[in-house]
Amino acid sequence: DAGITQSPRYKITETGRQVTLMCHQTWSHSYMFWYRQDLGHGLRLIYYSAAADITDKGEVPDGYVVSRSKTENFPLTLESATRSQTSVYFCAVGQGSSYNSPLHFGNGTRLTVT
Amino acid sequence: KQEVTQIPAALSVPEGENLVLNCSFTDSAIYNLQWFRQDPGKGLTSLLLIQSSQREQTSGRLNASLDKSSGRSTLYIAASQPGDSATYLCAVKSYIPTFGRGTSLIVHP
């Protein structure tokens, strides 16, 4: 969907490297979310943001860092990648200004850590 | 902590059957509940959103109901088709949006 762009679509990196996954929305909606999806665990929230410069931890934040200097962008950084961070990462946007707004997802980034 | 459970985990049915997928949650203090579809290797596509004040929503052959007090939602799929084959996920938005692990549906011709 053109509204949310995740990049890259696929990434292979080595253990210990820093990796940044990008998420960009063409709207200016307030809420943005990062999830990881793994077999056996489903979708788990890593971090979310209610507005520029406001971020908060989700269920599994350890090993990840986020920032949101602009409303449209919400990058997720793995400071020192580990094999356990091999996963599919999804960015989601709340389509509206309130927390009640429906979630809309990007196409995901498949990350492999070797 | 909100816990979301989806039953059954997998379902295989012949074309034409009417289906009921279940989603239960432990904390009834929710903002809304959203149903998604996910095809293999793809992202999530929103199907229906039910706000906490609503009882049901309909879109085409899909109907979703919400009973907040009992912590349950059902997704009803009428006259299933092979193109309905996918994983169906429910997301409960309370403090944070929490997902169930999904129901994997196969509709065979």
Side-chain angles (χ1 to χ4, degrees), chain A residues 18-111:
Chain A
Q18 183 179 80
V19 178
T20 295
L21 309 184
M22 302 301 297
C23 178
H24 172 78
Q25 59 161 317
T26 57
W27 314 290
S28 294
H29 294 319
S30 301
Y31 285 89
M32 298 184 75
F33 305 83
W34 273 108
Y35 284 88
R36 59 178 290 175
Q37 186 174 37
D38 306 284
L39 281 174
H41 290 282
L43 281 149
R44 292 179 292 174
L45 183 65
I46 306 170
Y47 270 95
Y48 67 103
S49 170
D53 297 322
I54 300 175
T55 62
D56 209 346
K57 295 178 181 179
E59 186 183 354
V60 289
D62 293 343
Y64 302 95
V65 174
V66 292
S67 62
R68 197 171 174 198
S69 57
K70 291 185 175 182
T71 300
E72 294 77 18
N73 299 323
F74 191 35
L76 176 73
T77 298
L78 288 67
E79 294 186 296
S80 179
T82 66
R83 288 196 181 91
S84 66
Q85 292 177 309
T86 292
S87 186
V88 181
Y89 290 85
F90 287 102
C91 175
V93 175
Q95 288 190 291
S97 58
S98 75
Y99 187 64
N100 260 356
S101 303
L103 292 176
H104 187 74
F105 278 77
N107 288 329
T109 293
R110 185 175 294 274
L111 175 68

Side-chain angles (χ1 to χ4, degrees), chain B residues 4-82:
Chain B
V4 181
T5 303
Q6 291 190 244
I7 294 173
L11 192 58
S12 180
V13 299
E15 181 177 6
E17 282 206 1
N18 299 323
L19 307 172
V20 176
L21 308 182
N22 297 291
C23 172
S24 62
F25 47 96
T26 53
D27 184 351
S28 62
I30 69 170
Y31 290 87
N32 60 45
L33 186 145
Q34 193 169 357
W35 283 93
F36 292 87
R37 167 190 175 130
Q38 186 176 29
D39 294 290
K42 303 291 185 182
L44 282 72
T45 300
S46 180
L47 298 173
L48 290 164
L49 171 77
I50 311 177
Q51 299 291 354
S52 62
S53 59
Q54 297 175 322
R55 295 283 295 183
E56 65 178 83
Q57 284 287 331
T58 298
S59 176
R61 294 184 293 110
L62 304 180
N63 175 275
S65 66
L66 175 64
D67 184 343
K68 204 172 63 163
S69 61
S70 68
R72 291 187 174 196
S73 176
T74 60
L75 179 67
Y76 177 82
I77 303 175
S80 59
Q81 302 170 358

